[in-house]
Amino acid sequence: MALDLKSIGVGIGPLEKEYSWKDAVIYALGVGAGFDELDYVFENRLKVLPSFSIASVFDFLAQVAIKSNADLSGILHGEQDIIFHGPIPTGGALHTTGAITHIFDKGPRRGALVVARADTFHSDGQKLFTNVFTLFCRKDGGFGGEPGPVDSWQAPAREPDCVEPALPSPEQPLLYRMSGDIFPLHVDPAFAVASGFQKPIMHGLCTHGFACRAVIKHLFPGQPQRMTRFKVRFSRPLYPGVPISTRIWKLGGRRAFFQVVNEESGEIVLDRGVVEWMSQEESQRRQGLGGIRFDGQVAVITGAGAGLGRCYALELARRGASVVVNDLGTSPDGAGSASPAAADAVVDEITALGGRAVASYDSVATVEGAEAIIRRALDSFGRLDILVNNAGVLRDRSFHKMQPQEWDTVMAVHLDGAFNVTRPAFRHMRQAGYGRIVFTSSAAGLYGNFGQTNYSAAKLALVGLLNSLELEGARYGVQVNAVAPIATTRLTRGIIPPRYHDLLQPEMVAPLVLYLCSEVCPASGQIFEAGAGFFNRVALLTGKGTVVGEPGVPPSPEDLARAMDSIKSMDGAVEIASAMEIMGPMLEAFQADSSDPAPVSDAAPSVEGLFRRMPEVFQPQEAAGLDVTFQFEISGEGGGEWYACIQDGQLQVREGVHDSPTTTIEMSAVDFLDFAAGKLDAMQAYTTGRLKIRGDLMKSQLIEKLFAF
Ligand code: NAD
């Protein structure tokens, strides 16, 4: 029997396989997922593990062995390389076709390699993944063929950046085989002994799934859809119940190497691991192409029993979200008795559409009511991804006649209500590492409206809440935006001229709110107006201003009066991202006035050179008692990723990405070189947006002391 070289290029497939969420969950359980990774095992929030891709087309491998005419008693699964084109949906049908692409000869008694490639498409038409299978045919070498390419993979000569321990259970193969690989070697003790083992062994692909979970956990936690490549060599058998660890080396550029090690024997069981992943932006862009969906997500909409809120609730449910329809069921001015009818009616509408929704009748205006609204989501659906603060009432009155109670009622629903509901929601989202919050502002607040001082004050106060909450949520994946709608509802029917009623349907606002609630939306801290199909962004702009008078001498009011045209000018006005940046225009104005020529540099050091030089310029006396890791993300030509760990007065500088830096510094290569050369002031760089800092802002101020560049 010999390998059939004519099998190269001959098509294999199509292989058809239907699967449901249960298959994805059984697979995830088979590779060790549990309560601490509910996303892989809970159908309400399911994310399919990328390595499910090979388990789902496992039959293809058997076809490769048969088609190539390999000696079946000598075949081993040698390597597996998977390229991902998009996230794997939680159910559907898979259509796989491919072919053997190469047969390599390692030499007499050294075996042969049969390499095959297969593309898998989902029943929705999307190409999901490409598998490159390598079969090691121990008994088929020595036929005089090409030896094949040499793999240059080498484990970095340093400790791994992260290590994930795991303990597959003694019964692990019994669970894993439910995903399709029922070969007796993994279940039948007699067969295992006859094959030269003490007992049934782990499936290599089961260990592969453990490694896949480990790299996601450390490199792009909670976002399996970002994986673009996962490659391993199966190097040693492993018995179930033996502790393992996945050792990961980050290489920079969203690439890492890994190995899986048998912790008892020290043997490498999975070798030459390569994982690659895409940026969050790219992942969001790709998901956007597939349509904005909310499957598995849970949304709370306040005031959803009527008008705009009802519309948001229906549209979110249509696109897969489970919805808490909150509404007190009150009159437009919030007076009189409440009624469950409004919320119930919308829940009935959603249920009739085949969606999932529960009603909540609590008022947003009390702390207890608001907490009950969020609890309703968690008790009913087990999670919370989206909050739209929409409940509203009006008590219009010209200011000189405004009664304290009218002021208080409007504040209580719009401003206190937003605080009351958002606080428990935000706490939950912050912990979950994901959330989308929308506040409802209004043109009355943004620009003013006669007779609405209470309402305007509340609606603009929400912008202040938005501005600061955006900064607090950014590190935790919680994005916050505001919509200022205009639509015909019971609140506005009497104000909007009848000829515009049809044009201004609430349905024309909902697409913006859905976008802001979606995973694909990168915006945070922004205000959008929407009505009648017209959408625009509203922003606060800060004028460039001017310096008045001599440095250090207070100008007179008359000086200011003369300079008022320049002070008021909005030419070249900019958006300021946070109060920390407000010094930016001021420093720039002084710089523009300064006649000092910029210092000229006589050398052109590289960013890489600077990082190499860091240990020389390090000031250990400044580092006593410090435990801090600075991650540097330097963009542009010559840039890259480096991190500096300082502990007990010691410095370690490495290329790559640290998994839990204290502070992350983002700068362009040009600015970083200028900063190191003393030509760019850190404060000025920060206030003008040329230096971005994530994480512990205060610690960033140590950099100038710690390194005498
Ligand atoms: P709407 O009256 O049709 O809907 C508001 C809903 O909020 C009602 O069902 C009401 O029962 C509910 N509600 C009131 N107080 C509540 C409370 N304490 N707890 C829970 N629910 C409560 O009004 P709408 O026009 O759909 O307004 C929705 C939001 O949009 C409001 O915040 C409003 O200020 C804002 N807004 C609307 C427009 C517009 O043109 N319609 C313009 C700007 C802003």
Side-chain angles (χ1 to χ4, degrees), residues 302-310 312 326-332 334 342 360-366 373 389-394 412-414 440-444 455 459 483-492 496 506:
T302 68
L308 288 157
R310 168 185 163 272
Y312 306 153
N326 162 259
D327 205 296
L328 186 59
T330 183
S331 57
S360 139
Y361 316 116
D362 291 291
S363 171
V364 301
T366 68
I373 295 169
N389 286 290
N390 167 79
V393 294
L394 286 180
V413 177
H414 292 279
T440 307
S441 188
S442 165
Y455 182 70
K459 288 302 198 190
V483 59
I486 173 154
T488 314
T489 68
R490 63 182 195 163
L491 283 192
T492 53
I496 296 173

Side-chain angles (χ1 to χ4, degrees), residues 506-686:
E507 285 77 7
M508 303 302 277
V509 175
L512 172 71
V513 172
L514 261 72
Y515 171 74
L516 297 177
C517 290
S518 73
E519 282 185 1
V520 305
C521 172
S524 193
Q526 302 195 351
I527 310 160
F528 297 91
E529 291 182 314
F534 174 81
F535 303 94
N536 61 306
R537 185 159 89 85
V538 178
L540 207 61
L541 294 181
T542 302
K544 280 180 92 81
T546 186
V547 178
V548 184
E550 295 302 312
V553 182
S556 68
E558 292 77 9
D559 292 336
L560 254 76
R562 278 190 293 276
M564 203 38 88
D565 279 351
S566 308
I567 294 172
K568 285 194 322 193
S569 168
M570 295 302 282
D571 288 349
V574 290
E575 274 185 66
I576 303 283
S578 80
M580 297 294 289
E581 295 183 17
I582 195 62
M583 300 264 289
M586 192 191 296
L587 291 171
E588 271 187 9
F590 277 109
Q591 199 182 45
D593 276 14
S594 157
S595 50
D596 290 350
V600 180
S601 142
D602 53 2
S606 68
V607 172
E608 190 181 351
L610 276 181
F611 280 101
R612 293 207 188 292
R613 218 160 56 78
M614 250 184 176
E616 293 163 40
V617 298
F618 179 57
Q619 306 293 304
Q621 72 280 6
E622 300 288 346
L626 262 188
D627 181 1
V628 63
T629 299
F630 296 113
Q631 174 72 55
F632 294 86
E633 294 179 0
I634 310 298
S635 58
E637 202 179 341
E641 291 164 320
W642 285 268
Y643 59 90
C645 304
I646 298 163
Q647 204 176 26
D648 303 325
Q650 302 287 315
L651 167 74
Q652 278 196 322
V653 183
R654 286 187 180 156
E655 193 169 355
V657 181
H658 193 273
D659 61 344
S660 53
T662 321
T663 305
T664 299
I665 311 287
E666 264 183 72
M667 255 181 150
S668 74
V670 175
D671 285 343
F672 186 70
L673 291 172
D674 279 353
F675 163 74
K679 287 194 271 177
L680 178 62
D681 173 68
M683 182 65 175
Q684 191 193 345
Y686 181 70

Side-chain angles (χ1 to χ4, degrees), residues 142-166:
F143 59 86
E146 290 291 322
V150 178
D151 187 348
S152 62
W153 192 102
Q154 209 165 18
R158 57 181 162 95
E159 287 299 302
D161 297 301
C162 357
V163 177
E164 177 63 20

Side-chain angles (χ1 to χ4, degrees), residues 283-303:
S283 162
Q284 289 174 337
R285 194 189 65 75
R286 289 194 191 186
Q287 284 178 62
L289 295 178
I292 291 176
R293 299 281 312 171
F294 300 93
D295 306 280
Q297 296 198 1
V298 175
V300 168
I301 320 294
T302 68

Side-chain angles (χ1 to χ4, degrees), residues 310-325:
R310 168 185 163 272
C311 219
Y312 306 153
L314 283 167
E315 291 306 316
L316 281 163
R318 273 198 188 100
R319 287 175 180 254
S322 301
V323 181
V324 175
V325 177

